[in-house]
Amino acid sequence: MKNDSQEAFLKKYREEKPMFQAWGDYVQKYIYDKLRETNEDISKIIKIQCSPRVKAEDSIIAKAFFRKNYDDAYAQITDKVGIRFVVMVTKQIAIIKNIVEKSDLWDFSKDQDYKESIEKHPDLFSYQSVHYIVRNRHNIRVNEIMINEGTPCEIQIRTLEQHAYAELSHDYVYKQEGKINSLTRRNMARSMALNETADELFSKVYDMVENEKEKYNQLTSFLRSKTDFANYNEKIDQSIYECLKPMLEKYSISEETVNGFLNDYYINKINKRQDKILYQQPMVIMLYLLAKDHPAELQEKWCFTQDMLGMVFSDLGMNSEDDY
């Protein structure tokens, strides 16, 4: 549509808008399905519900005929439909990048990568995100709509912090174009520096939390291998773990320690009391171990009611009410 009029441009765009919407929906569903296949908890990755958005008519006309100088605007504008994935922390960007780059449904080009921008301009704090353009390799039919081969869809991937900055800069700077003074631009750059620092700190906190969760998961998996805790409640079990964790770390309680302590006597006691919620939790094994070796400290550090420890101490031939 080289050098076509606005009327012809808009007519073709209106005719093809259902196709662009269908392609955006298809791409989004594909990425979500791939996330599920990897057993990723989508709610812990995608922090803002995304939906494909077809470019508004006034925006595409402004872009095609006023903002930029195209040889063939209709063919060269690649964000007629776009999807934005907003993730929690920087490392999660790679999860979606991996899905995009490994798909055999489309060819992709990377229009922007914040890491590459930082490497090229380490002293510049500006808009950060990862942008792809994906084009389907073959015609795809979705219900009654044919998505023509080579139809572009823009994919943006950014963190919450990047998103906050991008929204502000887009609405108040990008759209104002030459009207923004140097002080405003300087303040925007400063805000990006703060956002980048916050993003880095969030990532560190996220890694620390995930590492702690992994420790818990490994320990629970090990304890569950000792007997069938079929009715365990992860929230309750994890609460007990958090209570006991300082002692487990203080005394370097390991799988070897548990193996040296645990015997059929304790397993039988646990199995016979599966009607009691405490004994449904794998961490009850750690209660036995700590009650045997460090009874006074366990009673002092125990986060819940003391009567819950009664049967544990009784099975050890001890009285939870005694002073140790």
Side-chain angles (χ1 to χ4, degrees), residues 236 239-241 243 301-309:
I236 295 174
S239 294
I240 298 173
Y241 169 75
C243 176
K301 300 292 178 61
W302 182 239
C303 311
F304 310 100
T305 58
Q306 288 291 319
D307 62 289
M308 295 178 70
L309 298 177

Side-chain angles (χ1 to χ4, degrees), residues 73 85 322-323:
F85 295 95
D322 290 343
D323 292 329

